[in-house]
């Protein structure tokens, strides 16, 4: 399931009207660092890897008191594995960081739906990347070897031919 989702994303060019088409329809990646579609794919893979490993985040209810969490901005605690309500954040939120409700909704979609390709505003992509990296660090302690493999594939995206 995870590999099939990845292969669908890799074989589908970005359809974002704001992206500048590079080779094969993908936006070009910056020299020397993973960015754009490649970064989104690595984030997507990391989030799916966390979920499949039993570390899927709680996105609706506070991980401490179980109250429903609402609002435009939410606090996310990677160590505890999900969102915190305002009261619990005040009491124990030293490791939590703010993310938008739209990022939480996008994360929920990524975790529960098969996706054909990833197109999202850059601010949401950055927040998702922050969540993925924080949760990988909190739950695995180091980069899983699968992420190194995925990063090498994502870096090669501009050279891959879309057939």
């Amino acid at each position: 399931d995870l590999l099939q989702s990845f292969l669908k994303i890799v074989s589908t060019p970005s359809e974002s009207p704001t992206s500048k088409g590079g080779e094969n329809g993908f936006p070009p990646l910056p020299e020397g660092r993973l960015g754009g579609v490649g970064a989104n794919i690595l984030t997507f893979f990391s989030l799916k890897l966390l979920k499949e490993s039993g570390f899927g985040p709680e996105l609706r209810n506070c991980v401490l008191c179980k109250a429903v969490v609402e609002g435009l901005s939410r606090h996310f605690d990677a160590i505890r594995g999900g969102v915190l309500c305002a009261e619990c954040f005040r009491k124990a939120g030293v490791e939590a960081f703010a993310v938008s409700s739209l990022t939480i909704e996008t994360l929920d979609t990524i975790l529960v739906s098969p996706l054909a390709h990833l197109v999202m505003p850059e601010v949401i992509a950055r927040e998702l990347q922050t969540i993925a990296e924080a949760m990988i660090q909190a739950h695995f302690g180091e980069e899983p070897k699968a992420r190194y493999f995925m990063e090498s594939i994502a870096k090669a995206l501009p050279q891959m031919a879309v057939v």
Side-chain angles (χ1 to χ4, degrees):
D1 180 43
L2 185 57
L3 182 58
Q4 287 176 340
S5 296
F6 172 73
L7 291 174
K8 283 181 186 176
I9 293 168
V10 169
S11 64
T12 306
S14 173
E15 295 175 4
S16 170
T18 58
S19 65
K20 296 180 176 124
E23 188 176 333
N24 303 323
F26 290 101
L29 297 178
E31 276 302 309
R33 73 180 267 272
L34 190 60
V37 173
N40 287 349
I41 290 172
L42 186 59
T43 298
F44 169 82
F45 178 79
S46 300
L47 294 168
K48 289 283 196 174
L49 178 65
L50 284 158
K51 179 186 174 197
E52 297 301 322
S53 300
F55 297 110
E58 173 57 55
L59 303 176
R60 301 279 177 242
N61 300 315
C62 176
V63 292
L64 295 178
C65 73
K66 308 303 181 212
V68 174
V69 178
E70 297 176 325
L72 294 177
S73 180
R74 302 185 189 170
H75 302 288
F76 191 89
D77 189 324
I79 294 170
R80 291 182 175 94
V83 294
L84 295 174
C85 68
E87 184 65 27
C88 290
F89 173 70
R90 281 191 287 281
K91 291 179 183 174
V94 293
E95 299 295 325
F97 49 91
V99 295
S100 73
S101 60
L102 190 53
T103 297
I104 296 297
E105 295 301 321
T106 304
L107 176 54
D108 186 45
T109 300
I110 288 170
L111 294 176
V112 300
S113 303
L115 300 175
H117 55 85
L118 294 173
V119 177
M120 67 188 81
E122 189 171 323
V123 67
I124 291 174
R126 281 194 310 265
E127 287 184 348
L128 287 173
Q129 185 174 13
T130 300
I131 289 170
E133 290 173 358
M135 288 192 73
I136 289 284
Q137 183 61 40
H139 297 293
F140 293 125
E142 60 184 46
E143 288 289 316
K145 290 181 182 178
R147 267 188 43 116
Y148 288 119
F149 172 71
M150 290 305 297
E151 185 173 1
S152 68
I153 289 176
K155 282 182 180 178
L157 280 177
Q159 293 80 32
M160 294 178 127
V162 177
V163 181

